[in-house]
């Protein structure tokens, strides 16, 4: 039998770094590469649960977030929900805090995959260390023999973590832990709305149990988390550009596209030197072209397109080409911009980054 540890999530996190130093084995609970709220919250709560119920000493359970610490602030809904749950983000463990490779080489690494079931990114090389899987994505059939393998097509990985805790360690469900789980389940299932086609009977049952225990007001919590997901007011231009960013080598050029969650009018209010901010971002990544695809709801869904390209000749060709792509572009004039930057309202709301990227690929392939 395990001794009751009288642990709280806060105490667990406060002593985590020092216990990591003395561990014979580090058992990292890791979410998927995107490090969305479901991945981060599920990994944290499951690590806390394992730590609180562990029967073996020597193994330290660590919620490992596979992104740099500085990127956490880009997950605005996670920043909000963790603060609401009383979790100090300073105590969380990020990619720079653990050297997975040397732990693995020393035979001291174990992994539980949460919110994915095939190791990717930072953990891709460590399949032999996988000791457990908790996920709600399509089952890729790996790790059939691990001790815990829980893969079910529910709306949120947090539902599966909550189910385990409800069954085995109910007393861990204090206000903070319940807030983390419930806020995540509600966000992932669009407030348990059947019309959104994300929620399953298990999400409903688990959420009902959490609601009953906590007295949390469902609609209010959902509305706050949903609002904070799109609330980028705390982010500067560099943050806005890297929050949802992809880049490609197209022909002889390097092109980046940021999806941005606010209007150029608001952005220019935050940052009157937007051209210079785009230039800095593009230079730091050695880009020939940087596009910002702004999409926001205020109250109607709206798209805008920003094109940064310091090479005048290339810019003229690209703008000509974009005119022919059916984007329905109308220039937005802003005095503070220099000629490297062109901004447009995008009348065709159907053209997302996924659709624009192949059109750009065709354009750049045609250049000498
Ligand atoms: Mn998920």
């Amino acid at each position: 039998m395990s001794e009751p540890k009288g642990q709280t999530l806060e105490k667990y996190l406060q002593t985590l770094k020092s216990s990591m130093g003395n561990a014979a084995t580090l058992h990292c609970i890791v979410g998927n590469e995107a490090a969305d709220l479901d991945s981060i919250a599920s990994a944290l709560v499951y690590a806390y649960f394992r730590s609180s119920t562990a029967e073996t000493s020597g193994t330290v359970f660590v919620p490992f977030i596979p992104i740099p610490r500085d990127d956490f602030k880009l997950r605005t809904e996670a920043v909000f929900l963790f603060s609401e749950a009383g979790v100090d983000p300073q105590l969380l463990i990020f990619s720079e805090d653990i050297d997975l490779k040397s732990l693995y080489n020393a035979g001291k690494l174990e992994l539980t995959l949460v919110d994915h079931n095939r190791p990717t990114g930072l953990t891709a090389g460590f399949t032999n260390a996988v000791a457990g899987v908790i996920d709600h994505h399509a089952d890729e059939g790996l790790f059939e023999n691990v001790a815990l393998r829980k893969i079910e097509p529910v709306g949120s990985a947090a539902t599966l973590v909550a189910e385990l805790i409800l069954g085995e360690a109910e007393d861990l469900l204090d206000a903070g832990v319940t807030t983390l789980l419930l806020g995540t389940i509600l966000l992932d299932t669009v407030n348990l709305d059947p019309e959104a086609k994300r929620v399953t009977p298990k999400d409903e049952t688990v959420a009902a149990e959490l609601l009953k225990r906590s007295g949390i007001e469902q609609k209010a919590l959902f509305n706050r988390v949903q609002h904070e997901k799109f609330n980028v007011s705390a982010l500067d231009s560099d943050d806005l550009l890297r929050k949802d960013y992809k880049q490609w080598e197209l022909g002889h050029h390097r092109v980046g596209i940021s999806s941005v969650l606010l209007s150029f009018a608001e952005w220019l209010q935050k940052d009157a030197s937007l051209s210079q901010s785009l230039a800095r971002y593009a230079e730091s990544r050695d880009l020939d072209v940087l596009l910002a695809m702004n999409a926001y709801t205020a109250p109607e869904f709206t798209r805008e397109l920003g094109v940064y390209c310091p090479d005048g000749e290339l810019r003229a060709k690209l703008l000509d080409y974009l005119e022919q792509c059916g984007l329905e572009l109308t220039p937005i004039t802003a005095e503070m911009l220099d000629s490297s930057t062109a901004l447009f309202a995008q009348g065709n709301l159907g053209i997302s980054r996924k659709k624009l990227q192949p059109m750009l690929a065709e354009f750049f392939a045609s250049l000498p």
Side-chain angles (χ1 to χ4, degrees):
M1 277 296 291
S2 60
E3 291 290 304
K5 295 183 180 174
Q7 202 171 222
T8 62
L9 179 58
E10 193 182 7
K11 276 193 214 160
Y12 162 67
L13 285 172
Q14 279 165 354
T15 54
L16 187 55
K17 277 190 190 152
S18 60
S19 15
M20 279 164 59
N22 308 319
T25 301
L26 271 201
H27 189 130
C28 291
I29 319 292
V30 59
N32 68 40
E33 266 186 296
D36 61 6
L37 175 62
D38 189 27
S39 273
I40 302 178
S42 297
L44 172 59
V45 175
Y46 183 68
Y48 169 54
F49 162 68
R50 286 298 295 273
S51 177
S52 305
T53 56
E55 306 208 1
T56 47
S57 58
T59 297
V60 172
F61 293 91
V62 183
F64 177 68
I65 307 178
I67 55 170
R69 179 173 295 274
D70 191 43
D71 284 2
F72 181 69
K73 65 167 177 272
L74 306 179
R75 277 76 175 167
T76 49
E77 68 278 33
V79 171
F80 163 73
L81 194 63
F82 278 53
S83 145
E84 192 75 359
V87 174
D88 177 0
Q90 288 303 319
L91 301 175
L92 300 174
I93 307 297
F94 293 94
S95 57
E96 61 264 52
D97 299 324
I98 297 185
D99 181 354
L100 294 175
K101 180 92 184 147
S102 62
L103 280 173
Y104 180 76
N105 289 340
K108 295 171 77 172
L109 180 67
E110 288 177 357
L111 294 171
T112 290
L113 311 180
V114 171
D115 203 20
H116 64 310
N117 61 84
R118 174 190 289 276
T120 49
L122 294 180
T123 60
F126 310 133
T127 50
N128 289 335
V130 174
V133 182
I134 303 174
D135 188 24
H136 65 133
H137 294 91
D139 188 345
E140 300 198 37
L142 305 173
F143 313 115
E144 294 283 0
N145 300 315
V146 293
L148 177 83
R149 190 176 193 284
K150 190 172 172 63
I151 305 179
E152 299 175 35
V154 291
S156 180
T159 294
L160 301 175
V161 172
E163 185 188 32
L164 284 170
I165 299 181
L166 282 163
E168 293 177 37
E170 246 193 292
D171 48 337
L172 296 181
L173 293 170
D174 63 14
V177 174
T178 307
T179 298
L180 285 177
L181 291 169
L182 196 53
T184 303
I185 297 168
L186 295 178
L187 183 70
D188 279 356
T189 61
V190 195
N191 201 23
L192 308 173
D193 179 2
E195 295 208 340
K197 297 195 165 38
R198 306 280 292 278
V199 68
T200 67
K202 184 170 279 188
D203 300 301
E204 284 173 357
T205 312
V206 164
E209 286 292 325
L210 296 175
L211 284 164
K212 193 173 80 187
R213 278 170 172 73
S214 63
I216 290 171
E217 217 276 287
Q218 177 185 335
K219 185 95 172 63
L221 179 60
F222 169 72
N223 285 345
R224 275 308 295 283
V225 182
Q226 178 74 12
H227 171 78
E228 293 300 335
K229 182 174 176 173
F230 297 97
N231 178 6
V232 292
S233 55
L235 303 185
D236 65 18
S237 288
D238 187 68
D239 297 334
L240 289 167
L241 287 164
R242 69 199 175 91
K243 180 169 166 53
D244 183 359
Y245 172 72
K246 292 193 169 151
Q247 83 178 36
W248 301 269
E249 306 294 328
L250 302 178
H252 302 293
H253 295 87
R254 182 177 289 176
V255 178
I257 307 182
S258 298
S259 292
V260 183
L261 294 173
L262 84 178
S263 67
F264 281 117
E266 271 181 276
W267 198 349
L268 286 161
Q269 250 170 20
K270 283 168 86 85
D271 182 2
S273 349
L274 181 58
S275 280
Q276 288 88 317
S277 299
L278 296 172
R280 220 173 13 252
Y281 189 90
E283 274 163 30
S284 69
R285 287 161 178 77
D286 211 11
L287 301 177
D288 299 294
V289 175
L290 171 62
L291 301 184
M293 297 189 77
N294 295 15
Y296 55 94
T297 306
E300 296 296 313
F301 182 70
T302 307
R303 283 191 184 279
E304 296 171 344
L305 178 71
V307 179
Y308 169 80
C309 176
D311 175 340
E313 200 181 323
L314 177 61
R315 186 174 63 247
K317 280 188 199 162
L318 175 60
L319 293 178
D320 270 352
Y321 178 77
L322 288 171
E323 283 293 329
Q324 299 155 29
C325 283
L327 293 152
E328 299 167 25
L329 300 177
T330 313
I332 299 172
T333 47
E335 299 163 7
M336 55 276 254
L337 296 176
D338 65 40
S339 63
S340 62
T341 310
L343 308 183
F344 302 92
Q346 180 184 320
N348 184 343
L349 301 178
I351 301 189
S352 59
R353 178 168 62 190
K354 204 177 257 174
K355 294 198 177 147
L356 185 60
Q357 193 272 342
M359 299 183 199
L360 291 170
E362 200 170 305
F363 167 74
F364 284 101
S366 75
L367 296 178

